[in-house]
Amino acid sequence: MPIKILLARQVFDSTGVPTVEVDMVTELGLFRVGVPSTDAKKIAEAVQLRDNNPAEYMGRGVSNAVKNINTIIGPELIKQNYEVTMQKEIDQFMLALDGTENRSRLGANAIMCVSMVVAKAGAAKKGMPLYRHISDMADVTSIIMPVPHFSILTGGILASNELPFQEYLIMPTGVSSFSEAMRLGTDIYQYVKNIIKSKYKVEATYVSDTGGFSIPLRSNRDALIVLTDAIKQCGYGGKVEIAINAAASDLLKDGAYDLEFKNTNTNPQDYMSSDKLAELYLESMKEFPLCSIEDAFDYDDWAAWSTLTSRTQAQLFGNDLTQTNLRRVGLAVEKRAGNTLGLRLNQSATLTELIDVFKLMKSNGFGVVVCDRWGDTDDLFLADLVVGLSAGQIKCGAPARSERIGKYNQILRIEEELGALAKYAGKNYRGQN
């Protein structure tokens, strides 16, 4: 079943920024994928090709990436006559066609979008759901439904409040199914929304790009109190835990961490050393039902990561730390930095590379969180990916906004399809048992 037509176009992500969408036609019909995008490239990510024409879309257009698919990748792939089930060979061919280490010639956004649509078509060719096809490619034998990380409160660079950390989230770990996790997560989200509405003006219930609420809280402790109280008031104590995305690289100044970095007149003597910041996390874990901290330190503060990892059994989740990059994951393994790592679709250039990174994480005992991007699309690929890999955790925002909720709804459909075979990760979200 070779590819008959491969056509790309420029569409828009959930933040109104251009991204790439691809249509593929085979004898089984039309398959379509839109790739998530981001305009804030991390150092080790594969390069998303942008037009850099300031006169259009503030330089963020992707017409060159689209052109590369329509005039180079598409014609060359069709010429090769590959079967769409040959994911590895197609991915390797595209990387060779690009010929750069960071995928900057053709663009990781162009290559990954084609890689994803090939996987969709390959699943159809095999007559199976996409998540099953992904399981086959990743050598995953048992399907596990993921614990969601629901964003509730927003701080850091994403909000004008005084919260130092970027996101405060909840994880329903003490339930037996994904659908039950959705019920508890949405209950708490709506409870917090109603509390905010009654305490502040209705504008305070307007949400960030990932659906979290930005309210005028003053400290990390304030945010943890709000979430702990919401869990208790909803009657879900012991069933729902709290997670923080510290995004600590945003706090780093002169080798220390400024928790008041949004105030332009901060005193360097008040900045926290890595050790002091670690103590703040450990104290918060003792006082609150806090089970997971994402990006606790800067992505190059390796010693701090390794030290805290040796001091706690809680989840230390490196996302900016490794950036879905094989070399950086290798460093995290070597240094025992963190015990869980993030997996993001568009930080690699092909699905094969993403699966290779996933296998390295799992074979070394790391937990895995499949994550969305700020600039996500309404495509549901991520939901099939997290189930197919049996990663155990998914982080794609609040139970709000259709580009986020669509992925949660797709996991609900998969759970329904699996029936009694659907096992929920629950407390074993890191896959340690």
Side-chain angles (χ1 to χ4, degrees):
M1 193 176 81
I3 301 160
K4 292 182 177 179
I5 299 170
L6 195 65
L7 176 69
R9 66 180 64 85
Q10 177 173 281
V11 294
F12 294 88
D13 70 22
S14 60
T15 65
V17 171
T19 190
V20 181
E21 181 177 83
V22 169
D23 287 354
M24 177 183 283
V25 177
T26 71
E27 65 188 35
L28 289 180
L30 169 69
F31 302 92
R32 175 175 290 155
V33 163
V35 74
S37 72
T38 179
D39 63 330
K41 182 193 178 302
K42 309 286 191 290
I43 53 167
E45 288 180 359
V47 172
Q48 291 188 59
L49 196 63
R50 298 278 177 189
D51 297 342
N52 296 319
N53 174 4
E56 292 185 354
Y57 305 114
M58 299 182 178
R60 298 180 193 172
V62 291
S63 61
N64 287 327
V66 166
K67 185 181 173 187
N68 287 342
I69 295 172
N70 291 337
T71 63
I72 301 172
I73 297 173
E76 290 297 326
L77 267 186
I78 290 169
K79 208 185 291 180
Q80 296 298 313
N81 217 32
Y82 284 118
E83 286 290 322
V84 288
T85 51
M86 299 169 70
Q87 185 80 41
K88 191 172 282 191
E89 292 83 355
I90 290 171
D91 285 350
Q92 286 171 345
F93 177 78
M94 289 194 289
L95 293 182
L97 208 55
D98 175 86
T100 66
E101 194 180 332
N102 61 2
R103 325 309 182 200
S104 56
R105 177 175 168 252
L106 298 176
N109 43 353
I111 300 168
M112 180 54 97
C113 206
V114 175
S115 184
M116 289 163 69
V117 83
V118 165
K120 273 194 179 179
K125 168 68 174 174
K126 286 163 69 176
M128 60 173 56
L130 177 57
Y131 66 89
R132 288 283 185 198
H133 181 40
I134 290 169
S135 288
D136 283 356
M137 289 190 279
D139 303 315
V140 170
T141 52
S142 60
I143 298 291
I144 304 292
M145 306 306 289
V147 171
H149 293 222
F150 293 122
S151 182
I152 306 291
L153 302 176
T154 302
I157 62 167
L158 305 176
S160 58
N161 58 25
E162 294 178 51
L163 293 181
F165 303 141
Q166 197 162 282
E167 291 175 283
Y168 293 81
L169 312 99
I170 55 168
M171 294 170 58
T173 57
V175 295
S176 58
S177 67
F178 183 80
S179 53
E180 200 180 353
M182 286 300 299
R183 181 175 66 80
L184 271 58
T186 53
D187 278 356
I188 291 171
Y189 186 80
Q190 295 299 335
Y191 174 84
V192 171
K193 184 176 183 177
N194 288 333
I195 290 293
I196 291 169
K197 200 184 289 182
S198 64
K199 191 170 183 181
Y200 306 101
K201 292 179 180 176
V202 71
E203 294 94 300
T205 64
Y206 299 168
V207 298
S208 69
D209 288 341
T210 56
F213 301 111
S214 169
I215 54 176
L217 298 174
R218 302 199 61 182
S219 70
N220 173 59
R221 195 166 182 279
D222 287 349
L224 293 172
I225 288 170
V226 167
L227 289 193
T228 303
D229 186 59
I231 291 167
K232 197 182 295 179
Q233 293 302 320
C234 290
Y236 299 145
K239 292 184 176 181
V240 177
E241 296 177 85
I242 297 171
I244 287 174
N245 173 11
S249 293
D250 295 335
L251 315 176
L252 193 68
K253 286 184 188 173
D254 304 322
Y257 296 92
D258 178 11
L259 267 64
E260 295 184 17
F261 73 101
K262 286 183 268 191
N263 176 353
T264 50
N265 298 315
T266 53
N267 184 349
Q269 290 185 332
D270 295 331
Y271 298 174
M272 284 190 173
S273 65
S274 301
D275 289 344
K276 278 195 173 176
L277 187 55
E279 291 303 328
L280 173 69
Y281 295 140
L282 293 169
E283 285 164 17
S284 296
M285 287 173 198
K286 279 181 195 167
E287 189 177 356
F288 301 100
L290 175 62
C291 69
S292 174
I293 299 174
E294 177 184 353
D295 291 332
F297 304 102
D298 178 63
Y299 55 76
D300 278 336
D301 196 352
W302 291 99
W305 277 97
S306 302
T307 303
L308 185 56
T309 304
S310 68
R311 294 185 64 194
T312 180
Q313 292 300 304
Q315 175 160 279
L316 293 181
F317 160 25
N319 197 355
D320 289 349
L321 179 70
T322 47
Q323 303 164 34
T324 320
N325 177 282
L326 211 55
R327 185 187 64 80
R328 288 189 71 92
V329 170
L331 274 174
V333 168
E334 178 192 321
K335 297 174 184 291
R336 302 313 294 176
N339 50 35
T340 298
L341 299 171
L343 200 69
R344 276 179 154 159
L345 265 172
N346 70 339
Q347 289 184 317
S348 296
T350 64
L351 191 55
T352 301
E353 290 173 290
L354 187 89
I355 289 170
D356 287 345
V357 171
F358 168 77
K359 286 180 172 179
L360 182 61
M361 291 172 178
K362 291 308 284 184
S363 64
N364 285 282
F366 280 75
V368 177
V369 184
V370 172
C371 305
D372 65 358
R373 295 311 296 253
W374 294 106
D376 220 302
T377 69
D378 54 5
D379 192 88
L380 307 179
F381 195 100
L382 200 76
D384 282 83
L385 180 70
V386 70
V387 175
L389 295 177
S390 291
Q393 301 179 70
I394 185 167
K395 180 174 183 259
C396 60
R401 297 180 53 118
S402 59
E403 77 282 356
R404 317 286 160 186
I405 208 75
K407 294 165 181 63
Y408 294 133
N409 285 340
Q410 175 69 354
I411 298 171
L412 286 172
R413 294 180 198 111
I414 295 170
E415 183 176 64
E416 180 184 67
E417 182 185 306
L418 287 168
L421 295 175
K423 301 285 187 288
Y424 181 64
K427 297 283 186 187
N428 192 30
Y429 50 87
R430 269 167 43 205
Q432 300 300 296
N433 301 335

